[in-house]
Amino acid sequence: MLAVAATAVPDGVGLDVLLAASFRIPVYLNIALPEVVTDFAIGNIVEALKPLNSELNDYLSDSDTAHLADALGPGLQNLHRALRDCFGLWQLGKGPWKSQRLDLRLGVPDIAGRPTAYPVLKILIDGTEKLAGRDRQYTGWHPADILGPGSPLLPTEPARRVALYVNAAGGPATGCLAAYVKDFGDQVTWADFRLFEGVYHAPTISPNPDGGDWRIGIVPPVFDAAQYRAEVQRVSTERAWKAEPWQTALLLDQYLSADPGALCPWNLGWAEPHGEATGMFSVTLWDDHCDRGLVVDLVAGSGTPERRARQMADSLLTIPSHQWPRTRPTQRQTSSLARPLRARSTGKPG
């Protein structure tokens, strides 16, 4: 049969490879971490073995080599995929692993210029936004896209490959950093990071995509499961992007962007709640080349978000720029992330 298989699939693997893969299954079950040997994992492997068994039995019945071609082609690929998805991605080495802390914050993409949409969910690992990259090339999704009761950040069985960060200038179509979000009982990890381009339009897609560039050098973080789940739950429940401070900031952005030339010689970057003072908001402005910026801190009056935003916008637009109170300079390194400021866009209010 080995010779017949080689003739049936001359450019493919041999029947000996198929048999070796099958014989290794008990070995995988014995050496895998107990947390990954689940009924679902075993069921996936059984389902991958069924068509192989059927094709080989059919060949023994009618000697049609097409059955061997199907077994050694799609059948073997499906078996390898099932083994990889169930076991291959999760062997992080012997523990114990040092758990890292997850913190989730709302913010603005760290670019010089005008964001396509904001706020975004910033992911901090031990206090650092490690997924942003050395040149701050990547940023988070809008929080409504990745938080909530079924948040993609929460591990599932089977594990999902989640796009955690997207290209800060071009959005998900131009690049996503994706990893499997996997539950290990007392710990949660993000494993097998890949860079995908033109694949994701949302944090998760079905089925989990194959391929991607694995040469991005991101070390899989390992989190304490209780702290991790509590943080995702906290931010999902608070829904700060729907609360009054962010709604006021987005309305302020909308009012200021209605007249692009009113802030001349400055160009609108964004508006956001002040990070330290309640009732205050910060408006970031840039020059035409995104080399030099100015932050104006505004005090909001009382009333609805619409009224407060309108009052702040009117005060900024009616006072000459050299008389603006509470200003401070800011500067970002100009790079490929700088967005043209003459093509203006508004923040995402929802």
Side-chain angles (χ1 to χ4, degrees), residues 13 33 94 118 157 180 199-200 246 263 311 328 340 346:
V13 299
L33 296 173
K94 292 184 178 180
Y118 70 92
E157 185 66 37
Y180 281 96
V199 174
Y200 281 89
W246 269 108
L263 295 170
Q311 289 175 340
R328 45 195 165 93
T346 59

Side-chain angles (χ1 to χ4, degrees), residues 10-297:
D11 297 325
V13 299
L15 189 60
D16 54 336
V17 176
L18 172 58
L19 294 174
S22 301
F23 293 154
R24 281 199 298 269
I25 293 174
V27 177
Y28 287 134
L29 293 174
N30 285 326
I31 67 173
L33 296 173
E35 293 88 347
V36 303
V37 184
T38 63
D39 290 341
F40 183 89
I42 295 174
N44 266 358
I45 295 171
V46 170
E47 289 302 312
L49 287 170
K50 285 180 180 179
L52 287 172
N53 181 67
S54 177
E55 294 291 357
L56 293 177
N57 282 332
D58 288 344
Y59 170 74
L60 293 175
S61 298
D62 58 23
S63 299
D64 186 348
T65 56
H67 297 305
L68 289 179
D70 288 340
L72 297 177
L76 183 57
Q77 291 177 9
N78 288 338
L79 177 59
H80 280 157
R81 184 178 295 111
L83 292 172
R84 182 201 64 190
D85 289 349
C86 294
F87 303 127
L89 300 175
W90 319 121
Q91 305 308 307
L92 300 179
K94 292 184 178 180
W97 305 294
K98 179 183 177 182
S99 292
Q100 296 165 281
R101 179 179 178 83
L102 176 72
D103 289 294
L104 303 174
R105 301 286 184 268
L106 266 60
V108 179
D110 197 8
I111 64 174
R114 182 139 173 83
T116 302
Y118 70 92
V120 296
L121 185 69
K122 294 199 168 190
I123 297 174
L124 306 183
I125 302 173
D126 281 346
T128 303
E129 196 181 7
K130 296 180 180 180
L131 299 185
R134 182 177 301 174
D135 298 322
R136 321 302 292 176
Q137 184 177 355
Y138 299 97
T139 193
W141 294 88
H142 188 276
D145 294 332
I146 199 167
L147 294 173
S151 170
L153 293 176
L154 295 174
T156 60
E157 185 66 37
R160 298 174 291 187
R161 190 189 286 278
V162 179
L164 297 164
Y165 260 37
V166 304
N167 186 282
T174 55
C176 286
L177 298 178
Y180 281 96
V181 178
K182 179 65 178 177
D183 185 359
F184 277 96
D186 291 338
Q187 293 173 308
V188 172
T189 188
W190 296 341
D192 193 36
F193 271 93
R194 304 287 179 98
L195 171 62
F196 291 89
E197 295 182 1
V199 174
Y200 281 89
H201 56 83
T204 57
I205 57 176
S206 183
N208 287 322
D210 287 325
D213 188 351
W214 54 269
R215 298 167 299 176
I216 53 178
I218 299 178
V219 178
V222 179
F223 305 97
D224 175 81
Q227 188 275 324
Y228 179 98
R229 292 177 181 276
E231 180 66 0
V232 175
Q233 175 67 23
R234 178 190 68 81
V235 182
S236 295
T237 302
E238 287 180 356
R239 294 175 59 84
W241 64 95
K242 286 285 191 180
E244 184 175 308
W246 269 108
Q247 290 300 301
T248 301
L250 293 176
L251 286 167
L252 175 57
D253 178 293
Q254 178 181 324
Y255 297 153
L256 292 175
S257 62
D259 185 357
L263 295 170
C264 188
W266 298 101
N267 302 278
L268 178 62
W270 58 82
E272 61 185 324
H274 193 285
E276 299 177 0
T278 303
M280 290 187 66
F281 294 81
S282 299
V283 176
T284 299
L285 308 169
W286 295 99
D287 66 7
D288 288 343
H289 303 288
C290 300
D291 293 327
R292 189 166 57 95
L294 184 70
V295 178
V296 184
D297 294 324

